[in-house]
Amino acid sequence: MTAANMFLDAAAEAGYYALFGRSSGPQIRGGEAAALVRLGVEPITSVDDTFDIMLAIDWQGVQRFAAELPLSKNSIVICDPSAGDVPDVYVKTGAKIVHLHMKDLAKEIPGGRPNMIALGAVAELIGIPVGPLTEVLGKSLKKKRADAYEASVAGVKAGAAAAATLGGAKRLAAAKAKDAKRWTVTGNYGAGLGAIRGGVRFCAAYPITPATEVLEYLASALPKVGGVFVQAEDELASINMCLGASYGGEASITSTAGPGLSLMTEGLGLAVASETPVVVVDVQRVGPSTGIATKCEQSDLNIAVYGLHGDAPHLVVAPNSVGDCIFTTQWGVYLAESLQTACLVMSDQALGQSRAIIDAPADVAFVGKRLVAEAPAEGEVFKRYANTASGISPMPVPGQPGCQYTSDGLEHTETGTPSSQSSDHTLQLDKRQRKLTNFDYGNHWATIEGEGDIAVITWGSCTGAAREAVARAKADGINAKLISLRLISPIRPQHLADALKGVSKILVVEQSHQGQFTRYLRGEYDLPVKPESLSRSGPLPMRPGEIHARLLSMGK
């Protein structure tokens, strides 16, 4: 993984875009791992159908990754003959197999390591100059250990020299001149940055794969802006600490994965009933239960939308690229604060733990700002839950003169006094629903691209593969429109109806065994035609080729 991160940094220095995902075993600890890298001269938001090069430093545990490393007869497998025979699963692909004596070459260099040999070899094969690699090594190692830096540079050069005679690999096109600043960022770090940009100044959270990096970022970033990070003892404490901080006036966030989200649902119900803003980033993984913690699936949709008991309207938003984790989390904070409710940001492992080279995102002006109460006029009673036209009621900070009220999970009157009256219950239900339904979400509710009589509706990390499939279909003469929902709940019936005008076929793409997203769309929206569903479980990613094949079939 270290070598792959350096490789990505070197690619960025050389002017390329890239997407770097990682695959590790289900044990949530160190061990065998695979770095999956795709590079190009245009922004990359999806894995491809096959890999051009597979470089195996050894074959230990490779059976765990075989299905995640599809090869073709045009691929090249580079391996060290001292590691043993190439497994049959790769021999059968017809890929060209070439030998590179990585361990022997590393032994010739004092302090040399096979991964640096591999780094230099891959760079040489695809056309990334050694210069950016040594520059990256200098930034990473030179100040810490000069001997390690020198050994690494020697290893990279030795690997490049050895690979120069291998040939046969697909080389990158020349990089285009950079017309804007670029970042390398993971989705989880992006979510943390989006939270800071949105005004979050408090986070309480409990580590869980694959969401922990969100917490790592915020633990470092929050103190720099005057905020506070608390590592809580569990998810129950996390959500309730966040509610307490938010009640005190600070925009708050926590992050978790499926099992943690299950524990937080009661607290989320309290956020809805007490109208206390809070944001939860759910980095989805394969479920149920512990499932496969290190792999991606979009199967938390049902719990996110329907998991709270009672009638509990709340916000559910979803980023649709690594870079979009920044914007969507920031937007989620803005919405939660503006609407005084809970907002779930539904990221997933493929977005959260992937690292991408992206154009630097704009710093948009979405800063969470709640409607703050003013002291009531003399003789008037403060109504924390006043039945306003918008449904949004001014919220005081504790101790604000004249604005005392009771805040808990009980149903209440407009003043906050607990009530069992039907009229109060209905009024508050209507109010909490109205503020979400009538809010102006602008054009951010979805990403819409292209035109055609076929619509591909998707969400989350499937968006990148769907976008590439639509582009391939267009090259085949089949025009399709991509609709990636960013606002999952509340629904936007008129907006989607407008987006689907002229569409005669719909394909819904998702990574869920039960087709949760398809069922959600059919249950909540009045779609013009019955959609086809391309839905399957994780952990394998949705690839452009399978969506493209379905579009070709639909376009006949």
Side-chain angles (χ1 to χ4, degrees):
M1 292 302 150
T2 300
N5 273 305
M6 291 178 172
F7 186 67
L8 201 78
D9 290 337
E13 290 283 344
Y16 291 100
Y17 292 95
L19 180 68
F20 160 36
R22 63 187 189 186
S23 180
S24 54
Q27 64 273 39
I28 323 178
R29 59 170 172 76
E32 62 279 350
L36 317 173
V37 183
R38 187 181 183 194
L39 301 103
V41 297
E42 301 291 343
I44 296 173
T45 58
S46 168
V47 296
D48 205 347
D49 299 327
T50 59
F51 289 92
D52 296 312
I53 298 174
M54 184 175 79
L55 193 149
I57 295 177
D58 61 53
W59 296 113
Q60 295 178 21
V62 72
Q63 71 279 0
R64 293 183 174 178
F65 307 115
E68 297 175 64
L69 301 171
L71 302 178
S72 73
K73 62 181 181 180
N74 297 319
S75 305
I76 295 177
V77 176
I78 304 171
C79 56
D80 194 323
S82 68
D85 295 334
V86 178
D88 286 344
V89 65
Y90 297 116
V91 173
K92 291 177 180 176
T93 64
K96 179 183 177 182
I97 296 173
V98 297
H99 289 154
L100 182 64
H101 297 268
M102 289 175 274
K103 292 182 180 178
D104 289 343
L105 288 171
K107 287 177 182 176
E108 295 174 2
I109 302 168
R113 292 180 295 171
N115 64 343
M116 291 298 107
I117 303 291
L119 190 58
V122 173
E124 170 64 26
L125 283 171
I126 65 174
I128 291 181
V130 170
L133 275 175
T134 57
E135 188 174 334
V136 170
L137 289 170
K139 291 178 182 176
S140 302
L141 300 172
K142 207 168 187 178
K143 292 183 179 178
K144 298 177 182 177
R145 285 187 53 191
D147 58 335
Y149 165 70
E150 292 170 0
S152 296
V153 170
V156 165
K157 290 181 177 178
T165 60
L166 298 179
K170 183 179 178 181
R171 295 178 68 84
L172 287 167
K176 299 178 181 177
K178 297 180 185 178
D179 52 5
K181 188 176 181 180
R182 293 178 189 171
W183 288 10
T184 59
V185 65
T186 68
N188 280 346
Y189 276 24
L193 173 61
I196 296 289
R197 283 185 169 185
V200 164
R201 294 298 180 266
F202 181 83
C203 174
Y206 184 74
I208 183 171
T209 302
T212 301
E213 294 87 355
V214 180
L215 319 182
E216 290 176 354
Y217 180 89
L218 289 172
S220 172
L222 275 171
K224 297 176 183 175
V225 294
V228 173
F229 175 86
V230 177
Q231 180 171 321
E233 62 267 37
D234 57 30
E235 288 85 354
L236 296 172
S238 301
I239 187 66
N240 287 300
M241 286 181 184
C242 286
L243 291 178
S246 180
Y247 176 75
E250 293 292 347
S252 302
I253 195 168
T254 186
S255 182
T256 189
L261 182 61
S262 297
L263 294 172
M264 291 181 181
T265 53
E266 185 175 2
L268 289 169
L270 174 59
V272 172
S274 63
E275 302 195 43
T276 305
V278 71
V279 175
V280 178
V281 178
D282 176 25
V283 186
Q284 299 172 87
R285 66 191 206 187
V286 174
S289 190
T290 307
I292 310 175
T294 56
K295 309 294 184 182
C296 184
E297 198 170 70
Q298 296 178 310
S299 51
D300 289 353
L301 180 65
N302 279 350
I303 190 176
V305 175
Y306 301 118
L308 308 187
H309 66 270
D311 292 314
H314 58 283
L315 298 157
V316 181
V317 299
N320 57 29
S321 71
V322 171
D324 194 46
C325 289
I326 302 171
F327 170 78
T328 297
T329 307
Q330 181 178 356
W331 191 47
V333 175
Y334 164 78
L335 294 176
E337 290 291 311
S338 300
L339 295 168
Q340 298 177 24
T341 191
C343 178
L344 301 183
V345 180
M346 303 302 291
S347 181
D348 58 45
Q349 186 273 335
L351 295 178
Q353 293 194 313
S354 291
R355 187 165 178 244
I357 301 171
I358 62 173
D359 292 325
D363 190 357
V364 294
F366 278 128
V367 177
K369 190 174 183 180
R370 66 185 69 169
L371 184 62
V372 178
E374 296 181 356
E378 186 173 352
E380 291 186 359
V381 177
F382 174 64
K383 294 183 177 180
R384 165 65 183 99
Y385 302 107
N387 186 30
T388 63
S390 66
I392 303 169
S393 312
M395 182 178 182
V397 294
Q400 192 169 335
C403 295
Q404 295 86 349
Y405 72 104
T406 300
S407 178
D408 59 22
L410 292 170
E411 191 55 278
H412 43 253
T413 65
E414 291 183 78
T415 64
T417 302
S419 171
S420 60
Q421 297 298 309
S422 172
S423 57
D424 289 326
H425 182 48
T426 303
L427 185 146
Q428 294 299 324
L429 286 174
D430 289 344
K431 171 186 178 311
R432 293 192 288 259
Q433 182 69 58
R434 183 169 68 249
K435 67 180 180 180
L436 267 65
T437 303
N438 293 345
F439 191 76
D440 181 5
Y441 298 92
N443 294 326
H444 304 299
W445 71 279
T447 295
I448 302 174
E449 301 170 1
E451 292 292 341
D453 59 358
I454 301 176
V456 179
I457 307 179
T458 189
W459 71 297
S461 60
C462 285
T463 303
R467 175 182 291 119
E468 192 161 332
V470 167
R472 292 183 189 181
K474 185 175 182 180
D476 293 324
I478 298 172
N479 293 321
K481 172 184 284 189
L482 174 69
I483 303 174
S484 174
L485 265 60
R486 184 178 288 109
L487 180 64
I488 304 297
S489 182
I491 59 172
R492 299 284 88 190
Q494 188 57 53
H495 290 73
L496 186 58
D498 290 343
L500 292 174
K501 283 180 180 175
V503 167
S504 59
K505 298 178 180 177
I506 297 173
L507 176 64
V508 181
V509 179
E510 60 177 311
Q511 196 179 27
S512 157
H513 184 260
Q514 296 181 339
Q516 294 183 20
F517 188 52
T518 305
R519 292 170 183 265
Y520 175 68
L521 292 174
R522 294 194 65 189
E524 300 290 346
Y525 285 94
D526 185 15
L527 300 175
V529 294
K530 182 180 178 181
E532 292 191 24
S533 175
L534 178 50
S535 171
R536 60 168 173 75
S537 67
L540 297 180
M542 191 68 74
R543 298 187 185 276
E546 52 194 315
I547 306 172
H548 177 221
R550 181 64 74 88
L551 288 174
L552 291 180
S553 174
M554 294 175 69
K556 290 180 180 177

